[in-house]
Amino acid sequence: MGCFFSKKSRRKSPDKEPANDQEAPKQYSWDKREKVDPKDFMLTGIKDATVGRLPGKLNGQQFVIQECENCNIYVFDHSAAVTIDDCVNCRIFLGPVKGSVFFRDCKDIKCVVACQQFRTRDCKKMEIFLCCATQPIIESSTGMKFGCFQYYYPELAFHFKDAGLSIFNNNWSNIHDFTPVAGENNWSLLPEDSVVLDHVPMPDPESEFKSVRISTEASRSIVPSTKGGRRKDSEESCLFVFFAGDYTTANARKLIDEASAKGFVLIQTKEVSMRPEDVNRVFQNNAEGLHEWISKGPVVALELNGDGVVEACRNIADEVFNGTKVFVSESKNTSSRDVDNFFNFADMQMGL
């Protein structure tokens, strides 16, 4: 007697074609990536030429420059890290670098650089317009001169963001000499009126970079031009802090323009996150009402300098930034303490 639940025979009918047992190969994410040619990410052994990379060509990759002589080199893109070895008599622009820029065994170099870390070793006679988030380091290097980053091209602000760099965190003048020599100074600051174009020229109009719209005017620079470690013109400084909002960067730029038009000088800037205990320590008696604002994001602080700057900044805050959450030093009697409290905190926060 048959069983109603017996299974169908698994034997295949002889007149049917055998099934194809071969499966299609699996596709992995790395199989779908565009093939990378290492030569696209290096410049080697080039002489007497204008070379580099246009926006969108690196997209955060590492880059190498080596054994170049008498070249104008322009990297109009963001990258992960850049090493420059054995180059002589070159003019170099490097767009924002997420990690380190390392010059080794180079001499007679003039450059504009934005990076997280900057270091030189065994270099001679370099002039650097720098934006560096950490303390720049020189090692076994002589004749090093530093100035503040001054540059603009349309994609540059986006490249700073892609590289994770803040335009307000620039320690260009806070140099650490890893190998100091007694009685000698291996580095100095460029004259305050130094112009980028006198050091790093515009690309050749016949080159592939002619389409990049560049400006080296300090007023158009993505990174604010600061006085840095140079001697202050006045004993009066003012701390002006913007709390996080939709227009923090634009507001900071507006303040710089307003203050500069009145003859005041921007000394330094910082963008940092704060905790409630930081607010209490930095702002002390003025901390009340500020705690809720730090949860919205980092603050942007500026030190402005000049006789009468505190009163002027308080007027600007009332007239231009009414409705925007800010902190401004109350009087010139307390403003120096305000500046020291904030920027000492910021330097500690950033490990400087």
Side-chain angles (χ1 to χ4, degrees), residues 276-292:
E277 55 267 37
D278 300 326
V279 172
N280 294 335
R281 185 167 67 253
V282 170
F283 298 109
Q284 298 183 359
N285 296 334
N286 298 298
E288 187 177 353
L290 299 179
H291 296 91
E292 62 178 295

Side-chain angles (χ1 to χ4, degrees), residues 128-168:
I128 309 109
F129 289 86
L130 181 63
C131 176
C132 187
T134 56
Q135 186 175 31
I137 295 174
I138 64 172
E139 179 181 357
S140 302
S141 299
T142 59
M144 313 294 287
K145 296 182 179 181
F146 292 86
C148 184
F149 183 102
Q150 298 168 42
Y151 220 83
Y152 167 86
Y153 59 87
E155 299 85 353
L156 185 54
F158 298 106
H159 291 165
F160 263 90
K161 186 175 181 180
D162 290 337
L165 300 178
S166 169
I167 62 172
F168 298 109

Side-chain angles (χ1 to χ4, degrees), residues 49-339:
T50 296
V51 292
R53 294 293 183 271
L54 286 165
K57 294 298 184 181
L58 295 186
N59 280 331
Q61 298 289 332
Q62 296 187 26
F63 198 66
V64 174
I65 303 171
Q66 56 190 13
E67 298 173 358
C68 293
E69 184 176 345
N70 192 33
C71 288
N72 291 341
I73 300 171
Y74 304 92
V75 180
F76 294 121
D77 207 355
H78 66 101
S79 55
V82 179
T83 55
I84 305 97
D85 294 328
D86 301 295
C87 290
V88 179
N89 190 30
C90 290
R91 281 70 52 193
I92 302 172
F93 173 84
L94 295 180
V97 181
K98 186 173 186 177
S100 65
V101 170
F102 199 177
F103 284 86
R104 297 178 293 196
D105 299 291
C106 295
K107 66 177 181 179
D108 295 316
I109 303 294
K110 299 176 181 180
C111 57
V112 182
V113 178
C115 59
Q116 177 74 19
Q117 299 175 326
F118 179 88
R119 187 171 180 180
T120 70
R121 189 174 69 203
D122 298 314
C123 293
K124 296 179 180 178
K125 292 181 66 178
M126 289 184 60
E127 297 170 358
I128 309 109
F129 289 86
L130 181 63
C131 176
C132 187
T134 56
Q135 186 175 31
I137 295 174
I138 64 172
E139 179 181 357
S140 302
S141 299
T142 59
M144 313 294 287
K145 296 182 179 181
F146 292 86
C148 184
F149 183 102
Q150 298 168 42
Y151 220 83
Y152 167 86
Y153 59 87
E155 299 85 353
L156 185 54
F158 298 106
H159 291 165
F160 263 90
K161 186 175 181 180
D162 290 337
L165 300 178
S166 169
I167 62 172
F168 298 109
N169 291 335
N170 187 5
N171 298 284
W172 67 270
S173 65
N174 184 20
I175 314 301
H176 176 66
D177 188 350
F178 202 70
T179 51
V181 178
E184 297 182 18
N185 197 353
N186 294 321
W187 66 273
S188 61
L189 301 184
L190 287 164
E192 198 163 354
D193 59 355
S194 294
V195 178
V196 168
L197 286 182
D198 293 339
H199 304 260
V200 180
M202 290 282 194
D204 189 322
E206 300 302 316
S207 73
E208 62 180 309
F209 308 108
K210 62 184 178 182
S211 63
V212 182
R213 293 185 288 116
I214 301 165
S215 173
T216 61
E217 295 178 19
S219 61
R220 294 198 66 192
S221 176
I222 291 294
V223 175
S225 180
T226 56
K227 196 176 183 71
R230 299 187 180 102
R231 185 174 179 177
K232 299 176 185 178
D233 297 329
S234 169
E235 293 184 359
E236 183 178 343
S237 278
C238 179
L239 177 67
F240 202 118
V241 181
F242 290 95
F243 292 84
D246 294 334
Y247 306 104
T248 305
T249 298
N251 285 339
R253 290 190 175 282
K254 178 67 174 174
L255 170 64
I256 294 168
D257 291 342
E258 292 280 340
S260 297
K262 297 178 185 299
F264 300 114
V265 177
L266 182 63
I267 303 298
Q268 59 180 328
T269 62
K270 281 289 188 297
E271 182 174 11
V272 293
S273 297
M274 301 186 78
R275 300 168 300 176
E277 55 267 37
D278 300 326
V279 172
N280 294 335
R281 185 167 67 253
V282 170
F283 298 109
Q284 298 183 359
N285 296 334
N286 298 298
E288 187 177 353
L290 299 179
H291 296 91
E292 62 178 295
W293 290 90
I294 61 170
S295 63
K296 302 178 186 297
V299 303
V300 172
L302 307 92
E303 179 190 354
L304 293 150
N305 182 263
D307 293 342
V309 68
V310 172
E311 182 181 357
C313 282
R314 294 191 67 83
N315 290 336
I316 292 172
D318 290 338
E319 296 168 7
V320 181
F321 301 112
N322 190 12
T324 301
K325 189 61 180 178
V326 300
F327 170 87
V328 187
S329 294
E330 288 189 340
S331 73
K332 64 180 181 180
N333 296 326
T334 60
S335 59
S336 293
R337 184 192 64 196
D338 295 336
V339 168

